[in-house]
Short mmCIF file of all heavy atoms in Angstrom, two decimals:
data_model
loop_
_atom_site.label_atom_id
_atom_site.label_comp_id
_atom_site.label_asym_id
_atom_site.label_seq_id
_atom_site.Cartn_x
_atom_site.Cartn_y
_atom_site.Cartn_z
N THR A 15 -11.88 -8.38 -35.43
CA THR A 15 -12.61 -8.62 -36.66
C THR A 15 -13.20 -7.38 -37.17
O THR A 15 -13.06 -7.04 -38.39
CB THR A 15 -13.71 -9.67 -36.32
OG1 THR A 15 -13.08 -10.91 -35.80
CG2 THR A 15 -14.56 -10.07 -37.57
N VAL A 16 -13.92 -6.64 -36.32
CA VAL A 16 -14.61 -5.41 -36.79
C VAL A 16 -13.52 -4.38 -37.19
O VAL A 16 -13.68 -3.64 -38.25
CB VAL A 16 -15.52 -4.86 -35.62
CG1 VAL A 16 -16.01 -3.41 -36.07
CG2 VAL A 16 -16.62 -5.76 -35.43
N ALA A 17 -12.40 -4.29 -36.38
CA ALA A 17 -11.35 -3.26 -36.72
C ALA A 17 -10.75 -3.60 -38.08
O ALA A 17 -10.46 -2.72 -38.92
CB ALA A 17 -10.27 -3.26 -35.67
N GLY A 18 -10.61 -4.89 -38.37
CA GLY A 18 -10.02 -5.25 -39.69
C GLY A 18 -10.98 -4.85 -40.87
O GLY A 18 -10.53 -4.34 -41.90
N PHE A 19 -12.27 -5.02 -40.77
CA PHE A 19 -13.22 -4.56 -41.77
C PHE A 19 -13.18 -3.06 -41.94
O PHE A 19 -13.20 -2.50 -42.96
CB PHE A 19 -14.66 -4.96 -41.37
CG PHE A 19 -14.95 -6.40 -41.61
CD1 PHE A 19 -15.55 -7.16 -40.56
CD2 PHE A 19 -14.68 -7.07 -42.82
CE1 PHE A 19 -15.80 -8.52 -40.80
CE2 PHE A 19 -14.94 -8.43 -43.00
CZ PHE A 19 -15.52 -9.13 -41.93
N LEU A 20 -13.10 -2.37 -40.74
CA LEU A 20 -13.09 -0.86 -40.78
C LEU A 20 -11.80 -0.37 -41.48
O LEU A 20 -11.78 0.57 -42.29
CB LEU A 20 -13.21 -0.28 -39.33
CG LEU A 20 -14.58 -0.31 -38.76
CD1 LEU A 20 -14.45 0.15 -37.31
CD2 LEU A 20 -15.63 0.48 -39.49
N GLU A 21 -10.73 -1.04 -41.19
CA GLU A 21 -9.44 -0.66 -41.87
C GLU A 21 -9.55 -0.77 -43.35
O GLU A 21 -9.17 0.15 -44.15
CB GLU A 21 -8.32 -1.54 -41.36
CG GLU A 21 -6.95 -1.13 -41.96
CD GLU A 21 -5.83 -2.04 -41.48
OE1 GLU A 21 -5.77 -3.20 -41.90
OE2 GLU A 21 -4.99 -1.56 -40.71
N GLN A 22 -10.12 -1.93 -43.83
CA GLN A 22 -10.27 -2.10 -45.27
C GLN A 22 -11.18 -1.02 -45.90
O GLN A 22 -10.89 -0.58 -47.01
CB GLN A 22 -11.02 -3.48 -45.57
CG GLN A 22 -10.05 -4.68 -45.49
CD GLN A 22 -10.89 -5.92 -45.52
OE1 GLN A 22 -12.06 -5.98 -45.90
NE2 GLN A 22 -10.28 -7.02 -45.13
N GLN A 23 -12.26 -0.68 -45.20
CA GLN A 23 -13.25 0.16 -45.79
C GLN A 23 -12.90 1.69 -45.71
O GLN A 23 -13.25 2.44 -46.54
CB GLN A 23 -14.65 -0.07 -45.11
CG GLN A 23 -15.07 -1.44 -45.42
CD GLN A 23 -16.56 -1.60 -44.95
OE1 GLN A 23 -17.31 -0.67 -45.14
NE2 GLN A 23 -16.88 -2.72 -44.44
N LEU A 24 -12.16 2.00 -44.64
CA LEU A 24 -11.90 3.42 -44.40
C LEU A 24 -10.44 3.87 -44.65
O LEU A 24 -10.14 5.07 -44.74
CB LEU A 24 -12.25 3.81 -42.92
CG LEU A 24 -13.75 3.65 -42.62
CD1 LEU A 24 -13.93 3.75 -41.10
CD2 LEU A 24 -14.56 4.80 -43.28
N GLY A 25 -9.54 2.89 -44.74
CA GLY A 25 -8.15 3.15 -44.95
C GLY A 25 -7.50 3.70 -43.64
O GLY A 25 -6.41 4.25 -43.72
N PHE A 26 -8.15 3.62 -42.48
CA PHE A 26 -7.50 3.95 -41.27
C PHE A 26 -6.69 2.76 -40.78
O PHE A 26 -7.00 1.67 -41.11
CB PHE A 26 -8.53 4.29 -40.18
CG PHE A 26 -9.46 5.49 -40.46
CD1 PHE A 26 -10.59 5.63 -39.71
CD2 PHE A 26 -9.15 6.30 -41.47
CE1 PHE A 26 -11.45 6.64 -40.03
CE2 PHE A 26 -10.04 7.44 -41.81
CZ PHE A 26 -11.13 7.55 -41.05
N LYS A 27 -5.66 3.00 -39.96
CA LYS A 27 -4.76 1.89 -39.61
C LYS A 27 -5.30 1.26 -38.30
O LYS A 27 -5.50 1.94 -37.33
CB LYS A 27 -3.38 2.42 -39.39
CG LYS A 27 -2.32 1.45 -39.31
CD LYS A 27 -1.93 0.95 -40.59
CE LYS A 27 -1.04 -0.27 -40.48
NZ LYS A 27 -0.98 -1.11 -41.72
N GLN A 28 -5.38 -0.03 -38.35
CA GLN A 28 -5.72 -0.84 -37.11
C GLN A 28 -4.43 -0.99 -36.29
O GLN A 28 -3.43 -1.48 -36.79
CB GLN A 28 -6.33 -2.15 -37.46
CG GLN A 28 -6.50 -3.09 -36.25
CD GLN A 28 -6.84 -4.47 -36.68
OE1 GLN A 28 -6.85 -4.86 -37.89
NE2 GLN A 28 -7.18 -5.38 -35.76
N VAL A 29 -4.51 -0.56 -35.04
CA VAL A 29 -3.35 -0.83 -34.12
C VAL A 29 -3.85 -1.54 -32.87
O VAL A 29 -4.63 -1.07 -32.15
CB VAL A 29 -2.73 0.60 -33.70
CG1 VAL A 29 -1.69 0.30 -32.68
CG2 VAL A 29 -2.11 1.28 -34.96
N SER A 30 -3.38 -2.82 -32.84
CA SER A 30 -3.80 -3.68 -31.72
C SER A 30 -2.59 -3.86 -30.73
O SER A 30 -1.59 -4.32 -31.16
CB SER A 30 -4.23 -5.05 -32.23
OG SER A 30 -4.08 -6.05 -31.22
N THR A 31 -2.78 -3.38 -29.53
CA THR A 31 -1.65 -3.61 -28.54
C THR A 31 -1.41 -4.99 -28.35
O THR A 31 -0.31 -5.43 -28.21
CB THR A 31 -1.97 -2.84 -27.25
OG1 THR A 31 -3.39 -2.97 -26.91
CG2 THR A 31 -1.64 -1.40 -27.32
N GLY A 32 -2.47 -5.84 -28.35
CA GLY A 32 -2.23 -7.36 -28.32
C GLY A 32 -1.38 -7.87 -29.34
O GLY A 32 -0.41 -8.65 -29.11
N ASP A 33 -1.58 -7.44 -30.55
CA ASP A 33 -0.78 -7.88 -31.74
C ASP A 33 0.66 -7.40 -31.56
O ASP A 33 1.63 -8.15 -31.93
CB ASP A 33 -1.32 -7.33 -33.05
CG ASP A 33 -2.63 -8.03 -33.50
OD1 ASP A 33 -2.85 -9.10 -32.98
OD2 ASP A 33 -3.32 -7.48 -34.46
N ILE A 34 0.89 -6.12 -31.07
CA ILE A 34 2.24 -5.64 -30.88
C ILE A 34 2.95 -6.52 -29.88
O ILE A 34 4.09 -6.90 -30.08
CB ILE A 34 2.18 -4.13 -30.42
CG1 ILE A 34 1.60 -3.32 -31.60
CG2 ILE A 34 3.59 -3.69 -30.05
CD1 ILE A 34 1.33 -1.86 -31.23
N PHE A 35 2.23 -6.82 -28.80
CA PHE A 35 2.89 -7.70 -27.76
C PHE A 35 3.20 -9.06 -28.38
O PHE A 35 4.31 -9.66 -28.19
CB PHE A 35 2.04 -7.90 -26.58
CG PHE A 35 1.82 -6.65 -25.77
CD1 PHE A 35 0.55 -6.29 -25.30
CD2 PHE A 35 2.86 -5.76 -25.54
CE1 PHE A 35 0.42 -5.08 -24.48
CE2 PHE A 35 2.76 -4.54 -24.80
CZ PHE A 35 1.52 -4.26 -24.28
N ARG A 36 2.30 -9.65 -29.11
CA ARG A 36 2.53 -11.03 -29.72
C ARG A 36 3.70 -11.01 -30.69
O ARG A 36 4.47 -11.94 -30.76
CB ARG A 36 1.24 -11.54 -30.35
CG ARG A 36 0.17 -12.15 -29.32
CD ARG A 36 -1.03 -12.75 -29.97
NE ARG A 36 -1.87 -11.72 -30.59
CZ ARG A 36 -2.81 -11.07 -29.88
NH1 ARG A 36 -3.02 -11.28 -28.57
NH2 ARG A 36 -3.54 -10.17 -30.45
N LYS A 37 3.78 -9.91 -31.45
CA LYS A 37 4.93 -9.87 -32.41
C LYS A 37 6.24 -9.82 -31.65
O LYS A 37 7.24 -10.46 -31.99
CB LYS A 37 4.75 -8.54 -33.22
CG LYS A 37 5.81 -8.39 -34.31
CD LYS A 37 5.31 -7.29 -35.32
CE LYS A 37 6.29 -7.24 -36.50
NZ LYS A 37 7.41 -6.39 -36.31
N ASN A 38 6.28 -9.11 -30.54
CA ASN A 38 7.50 -9.01 -29.69
C ASN A 38 7.81 -10.36 -29.03
O ASN A 38 8.93 -10.69 -28.87
CB ASN A 38 7.34 -7.91 -28.63
CG ASN A 38 7.76 -6.57 -29.20
OD1 ASN A 38 8.90 -6.24 -29.24
ND2 ASN A 38 6.74 -5.88 -29.74
N ILE A 39 6.72 -11.14 -28.68
CA ILE A 39 6.92 -12.42 -28.08
C ILE A 39 7.57 -13.34 -29.15
O ILE A 39 8.59 -14.08 -28.91
CB ILE A 39 5.60 -13.05 -27.60
CG1 ILE A 39 5.13 -12.19 -26.40
CG2 ILE A 39 5.81 -14.52 -27.16
CD1 ILE A 39 3.66 -12.56 -25.93
N GLN A 40 7.03 -13.28 -30.37
CA GLN A 40 7.58 -14.15 -31.49
C GLN A 40 9.04 -13.75 -31.77
O GLN A 40 9.88 -14.65 -31.98
CB GLN A 40 6.81 -13.78 -32.70
CG GLN A 40 5.95 -14.88 -33.33
CD GLN A 40 5.21 -14.43 -34.61
OE1 GLN A 40 5.49 -13.40 -35.20
NE2 GLN A 40 4.28 -15.19 -35.01
N GLU A 41 9.40 -12.49 -31.63
CA GLU A 41 10.73 -12.05 -31.97
C GLU A 41 11.65 -12.21 -30.77
O GLU A 41 12.87 -11.96 -30.84
CB GLU A 41 10.74 -10.63 -32.47
CG GLU A 41 10.06 -10.46 -33.78
CD GLU A 41 9.83 -9.09 -34.21
OE1 GLU A 41 10.00 -8.12 -33.45
OE2 GLU A 41 9.32 -8.85 -35.41
N GLY A 42 11.16 -12.61 -29.64
CA GLY A 42 11.92 -12.81 -28.41
C GLY A 42 12.55 -11.58 -27.83
O GLY A 42 13.65 -11.63 -27.18
N THR A 43 11.92 -10.39 -28.04
CA THR A 43 12.51 -9.10 -27.42
C THR A 43 12.23 -9.07 -25.90
O THR A 43 11.35 -9.86 -25.40
CB THR A 43 11.78 -7.91 -28.08
OG1 THR A 43 10.37 -7.90 -27.64
CG2 THR A 43 11.83 -7.98 -29.58
N GLU A 44 12.88 -8.15 -25.27
CA GLU A 44 12.69 -7.93 -23.87
C GLU A 44 11.22 -7.59 -23.57
O GLU A 44 10.63 -8.09 -22.59
CB GLU A 44 13.66 -6.80 -23.35
CG GLU A 44 15.06 -7.23 -23.18
CD GLU A 44 15.26 -8.47 -22.35
OE1 GLU A 44 14.70 -8.56 -21.26
OE2 GLU A 44 15.98 -9.35 -22.85
N LEU A 45 10.66 -6.69 -24.41
CA LEU A 45 9.23 -6.35 -24.28
C LEU A 45 8.38 -7.56 -24.31
O LEU A 45 7.43 -7.75 -23.56
CB LEU A 45 8.86 -5.32 -25.34
CG LEU A 45 7.32 -5.00 -25.42
CD1 LEU A 45 6.83 -4.38 -24.14
CD2 LEU A 45 7.00 -4.16 -26.64
N GLY A 46 8.69 -8.51 -25.28
CA GLY A 46 7.95 -9.65 -25.49
C GLY A 46 8.00 -10.53 -24.20
O GLY A 46 6.99 -11.12 -23.82
N LYS A 47 9.18 -10.68 -23.61
CA LYS A 47 9.30 -11.52 -22.46
C LYS A 47 8.47 -10.93 -21.32
O LYS A 47 7.71 -11.65 -20.60
CB LYS A 47 10.73 -11.58 -22.02
CG LYS A 47 11.56 -12.52 -22.93
CD LYS A 47 13.01 -12.56 -22.48
CE LYS A 47 13.86 -12.99 -23.66
NZ LYS A 47 15.20 -12.57 -23.65
N LEU A 48 8.54 -9.65 -21.14
CA LEU A 48 7.75 -8.95 -20.09
C LEU A 48 6.25 -9.12 -20.32
O LEU A 48 5.52 -9.60 -19.45
CB LEU A 48 8.07 -7.47 -20.01
CG LEU A 48 7.26 -6.68 -18.98
CD1 LEU A 48 7.95 -6.78 -17.62
CD2 LEU A 48 7.06 -5.25 -19.44
N ALA A 49 5.74 -8.85 -21.54
CA ALA A 49 4.42 -8.95 -21.90
C ALA A 49 3.84 -10.36 -21.69
O ALA A 49 2.75 -10.60 -21.09
CB ALA A 49 4.11 -8.48 -23.36
N ASN A 50 4.60 -11.32 -22.16
CA ASN A 50 4.21 -12.71 -22.04
C ASN A 50 3.92 -13.16 -20.64
O ASN A 50 3.02 -13.95 -20.37
CB ASN A 50 5.24 -13.64 -22.66
CG ASN A 50 4.71 -14.98 -22.92
OD1 ASN A 50 3.61 -15.16 -23.46
ND2 ASN A 50 5.44 -16.04 -22.65
N SER A 51 4.78 -12.62 -19.68
CA SER A 51 4.57 -13.05 -18.28
C SER A 51 3.23 -12.61 -17.74
O SER A 51 2.68 -13.25 -16.85
CB SER A 51 5.70 -12.44 -17.44
OG SER A 51 5.64 -11.08 -17.36
N TYR A 52 2.62 -11.59 -18.29
CA TYR A 52 1.27 -11.17 -17.88
C TYR A 52 0.22 -11.85 -18.71
O TYR A 52 -0.84 -12.30 -18.29
CB TYR A 52 1.10 -9.61 -18.05
CG TYR A 52 2.00 -8.90 -17.06
CD1 TYR A 52 3.31 -8.44 -17.45
CD2 TYR A 52 1.58 -8.67 -15.78
CE1 TYR A 52 4.05 -7.73 -16.55
CE2 TYR A 52 2.36 -7.98 -14.87
CZ TYR A 52 3.59 -7.62 -15.32
OH TYR A 52 4.44 -6.88 -14.40
N MET A 53 0.48 -11.95 -20.06
CA MET A 53 -0.57 -12.44 -20.95
C MET A 53 -0.89 -13.86 -20.72
O MET A 53 -2.06 -14.29 -20.80
CB MET A 53 -0.11 -12.24 -22.43
CG MET A 53 -0.16 -10.83 -22.81
SD MET A 53 0.72 -10.40 -24.27
CE MET A 53 -0.36 -11.00 -25.59
N VAL A 54 0.09 -14.75 -20.34
CA VAL A 54 -0.21 -16.14 -20.07
C VAL A 54 -1.19 -16.29 -18.90
O VAL A 54 -1.89 -17.31 -18.74
CB VAL A 54 0.99 -17.03 -19.93
CG1 VAL A 54 1.76 -17.17 -21.17
CG2 VAL A 54 1.83 -16.53 -18.81
N LYS A 55 -1.17 -15.30 -18.01
CA LYS A 55 -2.01 -15.39 -16.79
C LYS A 55 -3.42 -14.63 -17.06
O LYS A 55 -4.25 -14.60 -16.18
CB LYS A 55 -1.34 -14.81 -15.58
CG LYS A 55 -0.21 -15.59 -15.11
CD LYS A 55 0.46 -15.02 -13.85
CE LYS A 55 1.42 -13.90 -14.21
NZ LYS A 55 2.05 -13.26 -13.09
N GLY A 56 -3.49 -14.08 -18.26
CA GLY A 56 -4.80 -13.30 -18.50
C GLY A 56 -4.79 -11.98 -17.87
O GLY A 56 -5.86 -11.39 -17.61
N GLU A 57 -3.60 -11.46 -17.36
CA GLU A 57 -3.51 -10.17 -16.72
C GLU A 57 -3.11 -9.06 -17.71
O GLU A 57 -2.60 -9.40 -18.78
CB GLU A 57 -2.54 -10.25 -15.56
CG GLU A 57 -2.97 -11.13 -14.48
CD GLU A 57 -1.87 -11.36 -13.41
OE1 GLU A 57 -0.78 -10.72 -13.51
OE2 GLU A 57 -2.10 -12.17 -12.58
N LEU A 58 -3.26 -7.84 -17.34
CA LEU A 58 -2.83 -6.73 -18.19
C LEU A 58 -1.38 -6.46 -18.07
O LEU A 58 -0.86 -6.54 -16.94
CB LEU A 58 -3.58 -5.47 -17.85
CG LEU A 58 -5.18 -5.48 -18.01
CD1 LEU A 58 -5.77 -4.13 -17.75
CD2 LEU A 58 -5.51 -5.89 -19.51
N VAL A 59 -0.79 -6.01 -19.15
CA VAL A 59 0.58 -5.62 -19.15
C VAL A 59 0.56 -4.20 -18.45
O VAL A 59 -0.36 -3.45 -18.61
CB VAL A 59 1.09 -5.49 -20.60
CG1 VAL A 59 2.55 -5.00 -20.64
CG2 VAL A 59 1.09 -6.87 -21.30
N PRO A 60 1.55 -3.88 -17.62
CA PRO A 60 1.54 -2.58 -16.90
C PRO A 60 1.31 -1.37 -17.72
O PRO A 60 1.79 -1.28 -18.91
CB PRO A 60 2.92 -2.58 -16.25
CG PRO A 60 3.39 -3.99 -16.10
CD PRO A 60 2.80 -4.64 -17.27
N ASP A 61 0.56 -0.44 -17.16
CA ASP A 61 0.13 0.75 -17.92
C ASP A 61 1.34 1.55 -18.50
O ASP A 61 1.24 1.95 -19.66
CB ASP A 61 -0.60 1.77 -16.97
CG ASP A 61 -2.00 1.30 -16.70
OD1 ASP A 61 -2.60 0.59 -17.52
OD2 ASP A 61 -2.54 1.75 -15.67
N ASP A 62 2.40 1.77 -17.76
CA ASP A 62 3.49 2.58 -18.25
C ASP A 62 4.08 2.04 -19.50
O ASP A 62 4.30 2.73 -20.47
CB ASP A 62 4.57 2.86 -17.15
CG ASP A 62 5.12 1.52 -16.56
OD1 ASP A 62 4.47 0.55 -16.74
OD2 ASP A 62 6.20 1.58 -15.95
N VAL A 63 4.26 0.74 -19.60
CA VAL A 63 4.83 0.08 -20.75
C VAL A 63 3.83 0.22 -21.89
O VAL A 63 4.27 0.58 -23.07
CB VAL A 63 4.99 -1.51 -20.47
CG1 VAL A 63 5.52 -2.21 -21.71
CG2 VAL A 63 5.91 -1.60 -19.30
N THR A 64 2.62 -0.05 -21.68
CA THR A 64 1.61 -0.05 -22.76
C THR A 64 1.37 1.38 -23.30
O THR A 64 1.29 1.60 -24.59
CB THR A 64 0.28 -0.65 -22.29
OG1 THR A 64 0.57 -1.81 -21.54
CG2 THR A 64 -0.74 -0.95 -23.33
N ILE A 65 1.35 2.29 -22.42
CA ILE A 65 1.00 3.68 -22.84
C ILE A 65 2.16 4.19 -23.73
O ILE A 65 1.97 4.80 -24.73
CB ILE A 65 0.82 4.66 -21.63
CG1 ILE A 65 -0.47 4.33 -20.91
CG2 ILE A 65 0.87 6.16 -22.01
CD1 ILE A 65 -0.63 4.95 -19.52
N GLN A 66 3.43 3.84 -23.28
CA GLN A 66 4.54 4.35 -24.12
C GLN A 66 4.54 3.75 -25.54
O GLN A 66 4.90 4.47 -26.53
CB GLN A 66 5.87 3.99 -23.37
CG GLN A 66 7.12 4.67 -24.01
CD GLN A 66 6.97 6.26 -24.03
OE1 GLN A 66 6.57 6.82 -23.03
NE2 GLN A 66 7.20 6.86 -25.16
N ILE A 67 4.12 2.55 -25.65
CA ILE A 67 4.05 1.92 -27.03
C ILE A 67 3.01 2.73 -27.90
O ILE A 67 3.30 3.00 -29.04
CB ILE A 67 3.56 0.44 -26.86
CG1 ILE A 67 4.71 -0.40 -26.31
CG2 ILE A 67 3.06 -0.05 -28.22
CD1 ILE A 67 4.31 -1.74 -25.92
N VAL A 68 1.89 3.03 -27.34
CA VAL A 68 0.88 3.75 -28.11
C VAL A 68 1.38 5.23 -28.41
O VAL A 68 1.13 5.74 -29.54
CB VAL A 68 -0.44 3.77 -27.40
CG1 VAL A 68 -1.45 4.50 -28.14
CG2 VAL A 68 -0.97 2.33 -27.23
N VAL A 69 2.02 5.89 -27.43
CA VAL A 69 2.52 7.23 -27.63
C VAL A 69 3.44 7.18 -28.91
O VAL A 69 3.30 8.00 -29.86
CB VAL A 69 3.31 7.70 -26.44
CG1 VAL A 69 4.06 8.99 -26.76
CG2 VAL A 69 2.38 7.99 -25.29
N ASP A 70 4.32 6.22 -28.94
CA ASP A 70 5.28 6.14 -30.05
C ASP A 70 4.60 5.82 -31.33
O ASP A 70 4.89 6.39 -32.40
CB ASP A 70 6.35 5.03 -29.76
CG ASP A 70 7.27 5.35 -28.68
OD1 ASP A 70 7.28 6.55 -28.23
OD2 ASP A 70 7.90 4.46 -28.07
N ARG A 71 3.58 4.92 -31.29
CA ARG A 71 2.88 4.44 -32.51
C ARG A 71 2.09 5.69 -33.08
O ARG A 71 1.97 5.84 -34.34
CB ARG A 71 1.90 3.40 -32.12
CG ARG A 71 1.36 2.64 -33.29
CD ARG A 71 2.40 1.87 -34.08
NE ARG A 71 1.88 1.21 -35.32
CZ ARG A 71 1.73 1.85 -36.44
NH1 ARG A 71 2.03 3.18 -36.60
NH2 ARG A 71 1.20 1.25 -37.52
N LEU A 72 1.55 6.54 -32.24
CA LEU A 72 0.74 7.71 -32.73
C LEU A 72 1.52 8.73 -33.49
O LEU A 72 1.07 9.57 -34.22
CB LEU A 72 0.06 8.38 -31.50
CG LEU A 72 -1.18 7.69 -30.94
CD1 LEU A 72 -1.59 8.32 -29.59
CD2 LEU A 72 -2.36 7.75 -31.93
N GLU A 73 2.89 8.63 -33.41
CA GLU A 73 3.77 9.60 -34.12
C GLU A 73 4.02 9.13 -35.51
O GLU A 73 4.57 9.85 -36.25
CB GLU A 73 5.08 9.73 -33.35
CG GLU A 73 5.02 10.42 -31.97
CD GLU A 73 4.32 11.82 -32.08
OE1 GLU A 73 4.63 12.56 -33.11
OE2 GLU A 73 3.46 12.09 -31.29
N GLN A 74 3.76 7.89 -35.79
CA GLN A 74 4.18 7.28 -37.16
C GLN A 74 3.26 7.76 -38.29
O GLN A 74 2.06 8.05 -38.03
CB GLN A 74 4.30 5.81 -37.05
CG GLN A 74 5.51 5.44 -36.17
CD GLN A 74 5.57 4.01 -35.74
OE1 GLN A 74 4.91 3.15 -36.27
NE2 GLN A 74 6.33 3.79 -34.67
N PRO A 75 3.80 7.97 -39.45
CA PRO A 75 3.07 8.56 -40.61
C PRO A 75 1.80 7.75 -41.02
O PRO A 75 0.80 8.37 -41.40
CB PRO A 75 4.09 8.61 -41.71
CG PRO A 75 5.33 7.93 -41.28
CD PRO A 75 5.27 7.70 -39.82
#
Side-chain angles (χ1 to χ4, degrees):
T15 302
V16 174
F19 287 129
L20 287 174
E21 180 181 71
Q22 278 170 19
Q23 296 189 38
L24 294 167
F26 300 164
K27 192 80 191 161
Q28 171 189 7
V29 172
S30 155
T31 37
D33 285 345
I34 294 172
F35 293 139
R36 280 184 288 276
K37 185 163 188 275
N38 276 275
I39 294 170
Q40 245 180 12
E41 291 169 353
T43 67
E44 285 307 310
L45 171 64
K47 283 178 202 154
L48 176 86
N50 195 44
S51 66
Y52 294 93
M53 289 166 77
V54 291
K55 291 185 278 182
E57 292 171 7
L58 296 183
V59 178
D61 282 339
D62 54 344
V63 177
T64 310
I65 290 167
Q66 194 54 49
I67 287 172
V68 175
V69 169
D70 294 343
R71 192 68 185 83
L72 282 168
E73 291 307 316
Q74 289 165 20

